[in-house]
mmCIF file of all heavy atoms in Angstrom:
data_model
loop_
_atom_site.group_PDB
_atom_site.id
_atom_site.type_symbol
_atom_site.label_atom_id
_atom_site.label_comp_id
_atom_site.label_asym_id
_atom_site.label_seq_id
_atom_site.Cartn_x
_atom_site.Cartn_y
_atom_site.Cartn_z
ATOM 1 N N GLN A 1 -16.185 -70.793 1.326
ATOM 2 C CA GLN A 1 -16.618 -71.811 0.376
ATOM 3 C C GLN A 1 -15.822 -73.083 0.596
ATOM 4 O O GLN A 1 -14.662 -73.052 1.108
ATOM 5 C CB GLN A 1 -16.399 -71.413 -1.102
ATOM 6 C CG GLN A 1 -17.224 -70.174 -1.458
ATOM 7 C CD GLN A 1 -18.752 -70.462 -1.480
ATOM 8 O OE1 GLN A 1 -19.169 -71.662 -1.754
ATOM 9 N NE2 GLN A 1 -19.571 -69.479 -1.203
ATOM 10 N N PRO A 2 -16.353 -74.287 0.322
ATOM 11 C CA PRO A 2 -15.567 -75.556 0.468
ATOM 12 C C PRO A 2 -14.267 -75.485 -0.297
ATOM 13 O O PRO A 2 -14.292 -75.260 -1.547
ATOM 14 C CB PRO A 2 -16.536 -76.583 -0.076
ATOM 15 C CG PRO A 2 -17.895 -75.995 0.088
ATOM 16 C CD PRO A 2 -17.751 -74.511 -0.157
ATOM 17 N N GLY A 3 -13.217 -75.750 0.340
ATOM 18 C CA GLY A 3 -11.915 -75.828 -0.300
ATOM 19 C C GLY A 3 -11.200 -74.502 -0.506
ATOM 20 O O GLY A 3 -10.109 -74.455 -0.990
ATOM 21 N N GLU A 4 -11.880 -73.343 -0.090
ATOM 22 C CA GLU A 4 -11.274 -72.060 -0.329
ATOM 23 C C GLU A 4 -10.057 -71.857 0.534
ATOM 24 O O GLU A 4 -9.040 -71.367 0.002
ATOM 25 C CB GLU A 4 -12.315 -71.001 0.035
ATOM 26 C CG GLU A 4 -11.781 -69.558 -0.134
ATOM 27 C CD GLU A 4 -12.810 -68.496 0.179
ATOM 28 O OE1 GLU A 4 -13.959 -68.873 0.430
ATOM 29 O OE2 GLU A 4 -12.485 -67.326 0.192
ATOM 30 N N LEU A 5 -10.061 -72.329 1.781
ATOM 31 C CA LEU A 5 -8.897 -72.124 2.636
ATOM 32 C C LEU A 5 -7.712 -72.930 2.212
ATOM 33 O O LEU A 5 -6.560 -72.457 2.224
ATOM 34 C CB LEU A 5 -9.278 -72.453 4.082
ATOM 35 C CG LEU A 5 -10.228 -71.474 4.784
ATOM 36 C CD1 LEU A 5 -10.603 -72.030 6.129
ATOM 37 C CD2 LEU A 5 -9.601 -70.084 4.891
ATOM 38 N N SER A 6 -7.927 -74.203 1.848
ATOM 39 C CA SER A 6 -6.830 -75.018 1.374
ATOM 40 C C SER A 6 -6.175 -74.506 0.122
ATOM 41 O O SER A 6 -4.964 -74.505 0.007
ATOM 42 C CB SER A 6 -7.340 -76.469 1.179
ATOM 43 O OG SER A 6 -8.295 -76.531 0.227
ATOM 44 N N VAL A 7 -6.976 -74.052 -0.824
ATOM 45 C CA VAL A 7 -6.446 -73.518 -2.044
ATOM 46 C C VAL A 7 -5.681 -72.245 -1.779
ATOM 47 O O VAL A 7 -4.582 -72.026 -2.289
ATOM 48 C CB VAL A 7 -7.600 -73.269 -3.092
ATOM 49 C CG1 VAL A 7 -7.031 -72.509 -4.274
ATOM 50 C CG2 VAL A 7 -8.240 -74.528 -3.486
ATOM 51 N N MET A 8 -6.233 -71.403 -0.916
ATOM 52 C CA MET A 8 -5.560 -70.125 -0.551
ATOM 53 C C MET A 8 -4.241 -70.393 0.098
ATOM 54 O O MET A 8 -3.252 -69.713 -0.232
ATOM 55 C CB MET A 8 -6.474 -69.282 0.297
ATOM 56 C CG MET A 8 -5.900 -67.939 0.722
ATOM 57 S SD MET A 8 -5.006 -68.016 2.276
ATOM 58 C CE MET A 8 -6.335 -68.496 3.375
ATOM 59 N N ILE A 9 -4.197 -71.271 1.067
ATOM 60 C CA ILE A 9 -2.970 -71.546 1.746
ATOM 61 C C ILE A 9 -1.890 -72.080 0.823
ATOM 62 O O ILE A 9 -0.713 -71.613 0.855
ATOM 63 C CB ILE A 9 -3.208 -72.499 2.929
ATOM 64 C CG1 ILE A 9 -4.117 -71.818 3.991
ATOM 65 C CG2 ILE A 9 -1.893 -72.992 3.546
ATOM 66 C CD1 ILE A 9 -4.496 -72.717 5.106
ATOM 67 N N ASN A 10 -2.289 -73.072 -0.009
ATOM 68 C CA ASN A 10 -1.305 -73.622 -0.912
ATOM 69 C C ASN A 10 -0.734 -72.669 -1.920
ATOM 70 O O ASN A 10 0.459 -72.590 -2.162
ATOM 71 C CB ASN A 10 -1.946 -74.833 -1.655
ATOM 72 C CG ASN A 10 -2.200 -76.013 -0.737
ATOM 73 O OD1 ASN A 10 -1.510 -76.216 0.195
ATOM 74 N ND2 ASN A 10 -3.222 -76.772 -1.093
ATOM 75 N N GLU A 11 -1.621 -71.785 -2.470
ATOM 76 C CA GLU A 11 -1.156 -70.802 -3.433
ATOM 77 C C GLU A 11 -0.235 -69.829 -2.805
ATOM 78 O O GLU A 11 0.824 -69.512 -3.321
ATOM 79 C CB GLU A 11 -2.384 -70.146 -4.090
ATOM 80 C CG GLU A 11 -3.235 -70.982 -5.004
ATOM 81 C CD GLU A 11 -2.523 -71.238 -6.348
ATOM 82 O OE1 GLU A 11 -1.633 -70.423 -6.668
ATOM 83 O OE2 GLU A 11 -2.878 -72.191 -7.012
ATOM 84 N N ASN A 12 -0.642 -69.240 -1.646
ATOM 85 C CA ASN A 12 0.131 -68.158 -1.042
ATOM 86 C C ASN A 12 1.441 -68.683 -0.516
ATOM 87 O O ASN A 12 2.456 -67.989 -0.584
ATOM 88 C CB ASN A 12 -0.712 -67.509 0.036
ATOM 89 C CG ASN A 12 -1.826 -66.628 -0.613
ATOM 90 O OD1 ASN A 12 -1.694 -66.108 -1.643
ATOM 91 N ND2 ASN A 12 -2.976 -66.611 0.116
ATOM 92 N N VAL A 13 1.414 -69.827 0.208
ATOM 93 C CA VAL A 13 2.662 -70.329 0.829
ATOM 94 C C VAL A 13 3.638 -70.736 -0.279
ATOM 95 O O VAL A 13 4.817 -70.585 -0.106
ATOM 96 C CB VAL A 13 2.299 -71.539 1.745
ATOM 97 C CG1 VAL A 13 3.617 -72.146 2.237
ATOM 98 C CG2 VAL A 13 1.495 -71.059 2.921
ATOM 99 N N GLU A 14 3.126 -71.224 -1.363
ATOM 100 C CA GLU A 14 4.000 -71.563 -2.500
ATOM 101 C C GLU A 14 4.712 -70.325 -3.072
ATOM 102 O O GLU A 14 5.849 -70.337 -3.396
ATOM 103 C CB GLU A 14 3.238 -72.277 -3.601
ATOM 104 C CG GLU A 14 4.085 -72.772 -4.727
ATOM 105 C CD GLU A 14 3.275 -73.563 -5.792
ATOM 106 O OE1 GLU A 14 2.152 -73.871 -5.525
ATOM 107 O OE2 GLU A 14 3.801 -73.716 -6.883
ATOM 108 N N ALA A 15 3.936 -69.259 -3.147
ATOM 109 C CA ALA A 15 4.472 -67.990 -3.593
ATOM 110 C C ALA A 15 5.554 -67.437 -2.629
ATOM 111 O O ALA A 15 6.585 -66.971 -3.032
ATOM 112 C CB ALA A 15 3.442 -66.940 -3.809
ATOM 113 N N ILE A 16 5.275 -67.544 -1.294
ATOM 114 C CA ILE A 16 6.225 -67.155 -0.296
ATOM 115 C C ILE A 16 7.515 -67.965 -0.441
ATOM 116 O O ILE A 16 8.594 -67.469 -0.346
ATOM 117 C CB ILE A 16 5.612 -67.227 1.076
ATOM 118 C CG1 ILE A 16 4.455 -66.269 1.254
ATOM 119 C CG2 ILE A 16 6.702 -67.008 2.185
ATOM 120 C CD1 ILE A 16 3.668 -66.464 2.527
ATOM 121 N N GLU A 17 7.338 -69.298 -0.571
ATOM 122 C CA GLU A 17 8.537 -70.169 -0.662
ATOM 123 C C GLU A 17 9.336 -69.826 -1.897
ATOM 124 O O GLU A 17 10.589 -69.781 -1.818
ATOM 125 C CB GLU A 17 8.011 -71.614 -0.768
ATOM 126 C CG GLU A 17 9.129 -72.656 -0.916
ATOM 127 C CD GLU A 17 8.599 -74.013 -1.048
ATOM 128 O OE1 GLU A 17 7.414 -74.262 -0.722
ATOM 129 O OE2 GLU A 17 9.398 -74.920 -1.476
ATOM 130 N N GLN A 18 8.743 -69.504 -3.017
ATOM 131 C CA GLN A 18 9.475 -69.151 -4.241
ATOM 132 C C GLN A 18 10.189 -67.829 -4.045
ATOM 133 O O GLN A 18 11.328 -67.634 -4.468
ATOM 134 C CB GLN A 18 8.507 -69.072 -5.409
ATOM 135 C CG GLN A 18 9.245 -68.809 -6.731
ATOM 136 C CD GLN A 18 8.253 -68.800 -7.903
ATOM 137 O OE1 GLN A 18 7.045 -68.705 -7.735
ATOM 138 N NE2 GLN A 18 8.808 -68.722 -9.123
ATOM 139 N N GLY A 19 9.518 -66.906 -3.309
ATOM 140 C CA GLY A 19 10.182 -65.573 -3.104
ATOM 141 C C GLY A 19 11.355 -65.685 -2.167
ATOM 142 O O GLY A 19 12.305 -64.921 -2.313
ATOM 143 N N LEU A 20 11.294 -66.593 -1.222
ATOM 144 C CA LEU A 20 12.428 -66.758 -0.273
ATOM 145 C C LEU A 20 13.534 -67.641 -0.824
ATOM 146 O O LEU A 20 14.581 -67.750 -0.137
ATOM 147 C CB LEU A 20 11.883 -67.361 1.051
ATOM 148 C CG LEU A 20 10.929 -66.442 1.860
ATOM 149 C CD1 LEU A 20 10.446 -67.227 3.065
ATOM 150 C CD2 LEU A 20 11.654 -65.135 2.271
ATOM 151 N N SER A 21 13.372 -68.238 -1.929
ATOM 152 C CA SER A 21 14.374 -69.128 -2.467
ATOM 153 C C SER A 21 14.974 -68.574 -3.789
ATOM 154 O O SER A 21 15.904 -67.817 -3.792
ATOM 155 C CB SER A 21 13.843 -70.551 -2.638
ATOM 156 O OG SER A 21 12.675 -70.507 -3.456
ATOM 157 N N LYS A 22 14.303 -68.965 -4.918
ATOM 158 C CA LYS A 22 14.815 -68.604 -6.203
ATOM 159 C C LYS A 22 14.888 -67.111 -6.448
ATOM 160 O O LYS A 22 15.909 -66.562 -6.939
ATOM 161 C CB LYS A 22 14.034 -69.324 -7.268
ATOM 162 C CG LYS A 22 14.430 -68.960 -8.697
ATOM 163 C CD LYS A 22 13.498 -69.683 -9.722
ATOM 164 C CE LYS A 22 13.898 -69.249 -11.132
ATOM 165 N NZ LYS A 22 12.944 -69.845 -12.110
ATOM 166 N N LYS A 23 13.817 -66.415 -6.107
ATOM 167 C CA LYS A 23 13.735 -65.013 -6.368
ATOM 168 C C LYS A 23 14.707 -64.223 -5.522
ATOM 169 O O LYS A 23 15.295 -63.216 -5.969
ATOM 170 C CB LYS A 23 12.312 -64.495 -6.143
ATOM 171 C CG LYS A 23 11.288 -65.113 -7.052
ATOM 172 C CD LYS A 23 11.575 -64.883 -8.536
ATOM 173 C CE LYS A 23 10.487 -65.440 -9.425
ATOM 174 N NZ LYS A 23 10.809 -65.269 -10.847
ATOM 175 N N LEU A 24 14.916 -64.613 -4.319
ATOM 176 C CA LEU A 24 15.894 -63.966 -3.426
ATOM 177 C C LEU A 24 17.317 -64.172 -3.980
ATOM 178 O O LEU A 24 18.087 -63.182 -3.953
ATOM 179 C CB LEU A 24 15.736 -64.510 -2.024
ATOM 180 C CG LEU A 24 16.631 -63.843 -0.963
ATOM 181 C CD1 LEU A 24 16.376 -62.327 -0.908
ATOM 182 C CD2 LEU A 24 16.452 -64.461 0.431
ATOM 183 N N VAL A 25 17.650 -65.355 -4.397
ATOM 184 C CA VAL A 25 18.970 -65.610 -4.982
ATOM 185 C C VAL A 25 19.181 -64.680 -6.224
ATOM 186 O O VAL A 25 20.203 -64.054 -6.399
ATOM 187 C CB VAL A 25 19.140 -67.046 -5.353
ATOM 188 C CG1 VAL A 25 20.469 -67.251 -6.087
ATOM 189 C CG2 VAL A 25 19.126 -67.961 -4.140
ATOM 190 N N GLU A 26 18.219 -64.607 -7.133
ATOM 191 C CA GLU A 26 18.292 -63.773 -8.239
ATOM 192 C C GLU A 26 18.415 -62.334 -7.971
ATOM 193 O O GLU A 26 19.152 -61.620 -8.594
ATOM 194 C CB GLU A 26 17.097 -64.060 -9.205
ATOM 195 C CG GLU A 26 16.987 -65.448 -9.768
ATOM 196 C CD GLU A 26 15.713 -65.678 -10.557
ATOM 197 O OE1 GLU A 26 14.852 -64.838 -10.498
ATOM 198 O OE2 GLU A 26 15.631 -66.731 -11.245
ATOM 199 N N LEU A 27 17.746 -61.880 -6.919
ATOM 200 C CA LEU A 27 17.796 -60.443 -6.524
ATOM 201 C C LEU A 27 19.191 -60.106 -6.023
ATOM 202 O O LEU A 27 19.788 -59.118 -6.490
ATOM 203 C CB LEU A 27 16.784 -60.181 -5.414
ATOM 204 C CG LEU A 27 16.853 -58.795 -4.776
ATOM 205 C CD1 LEU A 27 16.533 -57.721 -5.833
ATOM 206 C CD2 LEU A 27 15.876 -58.660 -3.581
#
């Protein structure tokens, strides 16, 4: 669908970034 890939990339990469930064420190 139009815009599906851009939305998917932004959502997932943002989750990966959060997991590798704040969540990793807290763990």
Side-chain angles (χ1 to χ4, degrees):
Q1 297 294 327
E4 180 180 353
L5 289 176
S6 60
V7 173
M8 180 269 296
I9 293 174
N10 290 331
E11 289 286 338
N12 290 326
V13 173
E14 184 177 346
I16 294 172
E17 180 181 343
Q18 185 178 11
L20 293 176
S21 56
K22 178 183 177 182
K23 298 301 181 182
L24 183 58
V25 174
E26 294 175 351
L27 174 63

